[in-house]
């Protein structure tokens, strides 16, 4: 499979840079004087400019849903119209639900934010024993445990591992920085937070979320697992990008172990109710779901991190950025922003709150593009009446085009170097020498099988992850993934010889912004898998 990896990475980096920041259109202007028809036209143009199959947007202002509309199609081949009730995966926007669920337990006196996690998850064991014993619930939610961003995420991606098994395997992940001494975005810590909820309440994370939030908020078309979508209509299809940057529809897969980190599916009309709850500091239609004190704590800067020079140039009014609990917080044009993004396979999304303006914006898409951040920024500028506001969509597209051109200009030189590297058309040893079973303490087993004259790789914990190996150079093979998942990128399989000259190790090399294949250190434990 040949993905447009570099193009996706450019979009991702630029999106991170800009993060400092019933279908209805009954009125052309809101009470705040914003021209809704102007926003509508802007969204329609952006959808086309970004080549996004479909998206939906909702805006909450002063506890009312002032805009909710869908654009484009559910599937770029099968069609189907997106509307305000179309279901999308909101991915890591789920983290705010998990944090709020813990907040309800704090309010009930069942836990404290500063409680040690091991008190509730006794089998927790991290690489450093000190961190294991001192990790708190607040640490779980603020990305400061010491792991690099996305560390260990291959443990949940398409594997059969339970949450408990994932947590038990975390002890093999080496830290990238000191405990509470840096920032590393961690899905695994939110999976652990979900286990805290389960062990304290005696309920599954899914059921606790439904009972505590979805039912009281009337979110009856919001689901906590892909498995719940069977037979449900008006569901958007995820889309990846092919080698020409064109979107293609792919399939949804259920990774239930990650649900506390990123499992919710909802629509903008439903997520608007969640934003109303948040903007009212835990109260919805007069009913208190969580306390104002809990809301304040979740929106507090628990883990500040630096603002880059480039980000300062783009948004000079932003002076701080930090992880809250299940949210990120920063300032913009004299106002506090509370926000989070989501990246499901083939579906990107964003939720932004401006509490002082009683304003919330949610953008859900069935695309891997970074359209959400510029749309959110533009919408906020309109409601805050930012003078000389930027056309964020065009600004971001121009930046992506510039970076892509620079990359393309460098490509011929890189291609020439790669061509010079390749010295042979076949490996130095027999294909059977590479076959066998390989073991990673972190991940489990992988098999390399010689079948009909070709090598096939299979990651055993993830039945759908594997493919055919084609010789590239020396002891390195190109992996042709057998499934066209949007989050997979070009990958090489590199075999390493031991002191005796025989193959003893295997590594997967992939320039993938979402997964650290280099964490899977496979040692050969069994020879000869031939069919």
């Amino acid at each position: 499979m040949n993905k447009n990896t570099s193009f996706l990475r450019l979009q991702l980096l630029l999106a991170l840079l800009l993060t400092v920041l019933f279908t209805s259109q009954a009125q052309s202007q809101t009470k705040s004087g914003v021209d809704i028809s102007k926003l509508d036209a802007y969204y329609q143009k952006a959808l086309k400019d970004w080549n996004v199959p479909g998206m939906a947007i909702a805006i909450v202002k002063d506890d009312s849903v002032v805009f909710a509309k869908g654009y484009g199609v559910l599937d770029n081949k099968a069609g189907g119209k997106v509307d305000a009730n179309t279901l999308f995966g909101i991915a890591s926007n789920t983290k705010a639900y998990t944090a709020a669920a813990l907040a309800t337990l704090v309010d009930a006196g069942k836990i404290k934010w500063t409680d040690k996690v091991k008190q509730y998850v006794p089998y927790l064991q991290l690489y450093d024993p000190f961190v294991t014993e001192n990790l708190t619930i607040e640490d779980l939610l603020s990305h400061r445990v010491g792991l690099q961003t996305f560390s260990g995420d291959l443990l949940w991606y398409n594997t059969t591992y339970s949450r408990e098994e994932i947590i038990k395997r975390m002890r093999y992940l080496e830290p990238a920085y000191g405990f509470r001494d840096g920032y590393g975005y961690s899905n695994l810590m939110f999976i652990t937070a979900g286990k805290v909820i389960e062990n304290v309440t005696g309920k599954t994370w899914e059921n606790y979320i439904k009972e505590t939030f979805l039912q009281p908020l009337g979110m009856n078309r919001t689901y906590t697992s892909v498995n719940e979508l069977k037979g449900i209509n008006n569901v958007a299809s995820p889309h990846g990008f092919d080698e020409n940057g064109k979107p293609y529809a792919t399939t949804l897969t259920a990774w239930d172990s990650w649900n506390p980190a990123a499992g919710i599916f909802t629509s903008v009309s439903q997520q608007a109710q969640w934003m109303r709850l948040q903007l009212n500091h835990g109260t919805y239609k007069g009913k208190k779901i969580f306390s104002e004190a809990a809301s304040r704590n979740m929106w507090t800067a628990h883990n500040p991190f630096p603002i880059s020079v480039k980000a300062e140039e783009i948004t000079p009014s932003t002076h701080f950025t930090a992880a809250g609990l299940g949210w990120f917080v920063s300032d913009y044009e004299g106002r506090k922003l509370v926000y989070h993004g989501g990246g499901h396979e083939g579906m990107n999304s964003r939720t932004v709150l401006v509490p002082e303006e009683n304003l919330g914006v949610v953008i859900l898409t069935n695309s891997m593009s970074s359209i959400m951040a510029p749309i959110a920024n533009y919408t906020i500028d309109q409601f805050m009446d930012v003078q000389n506001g930027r056309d964020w969509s065009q600004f971001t597209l121009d930046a992506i085009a510039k970076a892509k051109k620079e990359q393309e200009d460098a490509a011929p030189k890189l291609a020439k170097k790669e061509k010079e590297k390749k010295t042979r058309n076949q490996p130095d040893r027999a294909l059977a020498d590479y076959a066998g079973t390989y073991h990673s303490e972190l991940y489990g087993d992988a098999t390399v099988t010689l079948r009909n004259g070709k090598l096939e790789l299979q990651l055993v914990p993830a039945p759908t992850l594997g493919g055919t190996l084609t010789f590239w150079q020396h002891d390195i093979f190109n992996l042709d993934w057998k499934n066209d998942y949007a989050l997979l990128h070009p990958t090489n399989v590199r075999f390493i010889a031991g002191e005796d000259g025989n193959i003893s190790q295997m590594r997967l090399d992939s320039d993938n912004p979402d997964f650290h294949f280099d964490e899977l250190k496979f040692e050969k434990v069994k020879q000869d898998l031939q069919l």
Side-chain angles (χ1 to χ4, degrees):
M1 180 180 65
N2 185 11
K3 298 286 186 207
N4 193 0
T5 310
S6 301
F7 180 67
L8 288 174
R9 180 179 285 273
L10 289 171
Q11 293 201 42
L12 176 65
L13 291 174
L14 285 161
L16 292 174
L17 210 56
L18 296 174
T19 57
V20 297
L21 307 182
F22 18 49
T23 303
S24 65
Q25 258 191 116
Q27 299 176 349
S28 62
Q29 286 195 339
T30 65
K31 292 179 181 179
S32 57
V34 173
D35 187 342
I36 290 294
S37 62
K38 177 182 176 182
L39 282 176
D40 184 29
Y42 189 84
Y43 301 153
Q44 292 184 50
K45 184 177 186 300
L47 183 83
K48 182 178 179 181
D49 291 346
W50 283 82
N51 197 18
V52 169
M55 70 177 179
I57 300 168
I59 303 170
V60 169
K61 175 65 176 170
D62 297 330
D63 203 28
S64 295
V65 182
V66 298
F67 184 86
K69 186 176 179 180
Y71 301 85
V73 295
L74 301 174
D75 187 296
N76 72 335
K77 284 188 177 180
K81 186 177 180 181
V82 173
D83 59 34
N85 297 309
T86 297
L87 299 178
F88 296 83
I90 67 170
S92 288
N93 288 287
T94 300
K95 290 179 170 65
Y97 287 79
T98 296
L102 289 165
T104 65
L105 298 179
V106 171
D107 288 341
K110 295 182 178 181
I111 64 172
K112 297 184 179 68
W113 291 115
T114 54
D115 280 348
K116 302 296 192 292
V117 176
K118 201 165 175 62
Q119 178 180 343
Y120 305 106
V121 188
Y123 48 81
L124 172 73
Q125 184 179 343
L126 299 177
Y127 192 84
D128 185 331
F130 177 83
V131 180
T132 300
E133 298 300 325
N134 290 278
L135 187 73
T136 68
I137 290 172
E138 284 185 339
D139 292 326
L140 291 179
L141 307 179
S142 53
H143 307 292
R144 63 188 187 191
V145 70
L147 298 176
Q148 65 179 326
T149 290
F150 301 147
S151 182
D153 276 359
L154 284 167
L155 289 173
W156 56 257
Y157 183 63
N158 284 297
T159 70
T160 58
Y161 288 141
S162 66
R163 288 166 200 161
E164 181 175 335
E165 180 65 24
I166 289 171
I167 293 169
K168 288 180 177 179
R169 288 180 175 274
M170 293 193 308
R171 68 185 185 274
Y172 297 112
L173 292 169
E174 296 186 31
Y177 59 89
F179 181 44
R180 299 176 187 158
D181 191 31
Y183 168 81
Y185 189 90
S186 180
N187 287 306
L188 298 191
M189 293 303 112
F190 275 82
I191 291 173
T192 307
K195 205 63 187 173
V196 171
I197 293 168
E198 293 183 337
N199 291 347
V200 170
T201 65
K203 302 176 181 179
T204 64
W205 173 88
E206 289 82 357
N207 283 340
Y208 192 75
I209 294 298
K210 291 173 186 175
E211 295 172 11
T212 308
F213 302 122
L214 306 188
Q215 292 171 9
L217 272 59
M219 298 173 67
N220 57 358
R221 262 183 61 82
T222 297
Y223 302 92
T224 55
S225 167
V226 170
N227 286 322
E228 296 176 352
L229 298 177
K230 295 174 183 176
I232 302 299
N233 62 5
N234 200 6
V235 180
S237 296
H239 292 77
F241 283 109
D242 65 19
E243 59 188 9
N244 298 312
K246 303 295 183 182
Y248 67 91
T250 183
T251 56
L252 286 171
T253 51
W255 315 316
D256 277 1
S257 60
W258 88 323
N259 286 345
I264 288 177
F265 276 72
T266 191
S267 65
V268 294
S269 61
Q270 301 257 291
Q271 184 73 352
Q273 307 313 309
W274 174 250
M275 293 194 296
R276 291 177 64 193
L277 171 70
Q278 290 288 334
L279 290 167
N280 282 304
H281 306 285
T283 298
Y284 180 80
K285 294 183 177 180
K287 181 180 180 180
K288 186 170 289 296
I289 308 294
F290 54 82
S291 68
E292 189 166 345
S295 173
R296 178 180 292 274
N297 195 37
M298 288 185 282
W299 292 358
T300 292
H302 287 267
N303 187 17
F305 46 90
I307 299 172
S308 68
V309 173
K310 187 65 176 177
E312 284 183 345
E313 292 175 357
I314 295 172
T315 52
S317 67
T318 295
H319 306 95
F320 80 94
T321 304
L325 303 181
W327 292 98
F328 293 98
V329 293
S330 65
D331 65 325
Y332 175 69
E333 296 291 336
R335 295 290 186 267
K336 183 177 184 177
L337 298 184
V338 181
Y339 56 92
H340 212 292
H344 203 286
E345 186 153 53
M347 291 186 176
N348 286 350
S349 55
R350 191 162 187 76
T351 304
V352 183
L353 308 175
V354 190
E356 291 153 294
E357 297 290 334
N358 207 6
L359 172 67
V361 183
V362 58
I363 303 104
L364 307 181
T365 82
N366 58 357
S367 165
M368 297 285 282
S369 82
S370 54
I371 188 175
M372 318 82 57
I375 281 184
N377 291 349
Y378 182 82
T379 304
I380 289 166
D381 280 357
Q382 300 307 301
F383 275 87
M384 289 175 50
D385 195 23
V386 173
Q387 299 301 309
N388 301 315
R390 177 182 277 128
D391 179 348
W392 285 100
S393 177
Q394 192 58 53
F395 173 83
T396 310
L397 286 169
D398 289 344
I400 290 172
K402 180 182 177 182
K404 188 177 181 182
K405 185 178 185 306
E406 291 174 352
Q407 201 167 59
E408 288 173 347
D409 289 345
K413 296 178 182 179
L414 293 174
K416 183 179 179 181
K417 287 183 179 180
E418 293 299 333
K419 186 176 181 180
E420 290 172 351
K421 281 183 182 180
K422 187 165 184 176
T423 56
R424 294 174 59 89
N425 293 320
Q426 58 185 16
D428 295 331
R429 61 188 82 226
L431 292 180
D433 293 343
Y434 300 103
T437 299
Y438 296 77
H439 181 74
S440 160
E441 283 189 320
L442 169 67
Y443 190 74
D445 287 349
T447 60
V448 177
T449 304
L450 181 58
R451 190 192 309 269
N452 298 325
K454 292 185 178 181
L455 292 175
E456 296 178 0
L457 171 72
Q458 177 61 54
L459 302 182
V460 175
T464 62
L465 294 185
T468 304
L469 303 184
T470 304
F471 175 69
W472 178 42
Q473 61 176 8
H474 306 301
D475 290 320
I476 305 173
F477 293 74
N478 293 321
L479 171 59
D480 181 16
W481 292 104
K482 62 184 177 182
N483 284 300
D484 209 19
Y485 294 141
L487 288 177
L488 293 179
H489 293 258
T491 304
N492 291 328
V493 177
R494 176 167 48 93
F495 295 93
I496 302 170
E499 292 182 358
D500 62 358
N502 296 318
I503 296 298
S504 62
Q505 298 180 53
M506 178 179 70
R507 299 290 185 270
L508 273 65
D509 301 324
S510 179
D511 186 22
N512 191 312
D514 297 296
F515 299 113
H516 295 290
F517 282 93
D518 59 307
E519 292 179 334
L520 311 185
K521 296 176 173 60
F522 288 105
E523 302 282 338
K524 196 169 189 179
V525 295
K526 186 178 179 182
Q527 179 67 33
D528 256 349
L529 285 176
Q530 298 186 51
L531 297 175

